[in-house]
Amino acid sequence: MSKITIIGSGRVGSTIAYSLTCREMATEIVIIDVNGEKALGEALDIRQGLAYGSPCLVYAGNYEDAKDSDIVV
C-alpha cells in the first residue's frame, strides 16, 4: 500500500480521502488545508468510520507530513 497526501479538505479533498479509505487504496492518508481545524475535523470523521473497515491511518497534517508520499492530490 502507499502514503497519499491530499491538499485541501473541501468537498473534493474530503470525498477523495473517504473514497480511498473505503477502497483500501492506502495505508496512510494525510489531509492538509489552510484551515487546520477543518482538516482535523474531516480526518476525525473519516477515522471514526474506520473501526469496521480499512486499517488506514488518516490524519490532518502540514506540508512536512507530506514527505515520502507516494501520491499527492
Side-chain angles (χ1 to χ4, degrees):
M1 293 283 189
S2 60
K3 177 178 179 180
I4 299 175
T5 296
I6 299 170
I7 300 175
S9 63
R11 292 182 182 178
V12 174
S14 59
T15 300
I16 291 170
Y18 176 72
S19 296
L20 289 171
T21 58
C22 288
R23 296 173 190 221
E24 299 183 7
M25 296 184 74
T27 54
E28 185 176 354
I29 297 175
V30 182
I31 301 174
I32 300 173
D33 197 283
V34 172
N35 183 345
E37 290 181 9
K38 178 158 178 36
L40 177 60
E42 294 295 340
L44 291 173
D45 283 347
I46 293 169
R47 274 198 330 219
Q48 187 175 19
L50 294 179
Y52 302 105
S54 173
C56 182
L57 174 63
V58 181
Y59 60 95
N62 55 41
Y63 287 103
E64 286 185 20
D65 296 317
K67 181 180 177 183
D68 299 325
S69 292
D70 297 299
I71 298 172
V72 178
V73 179

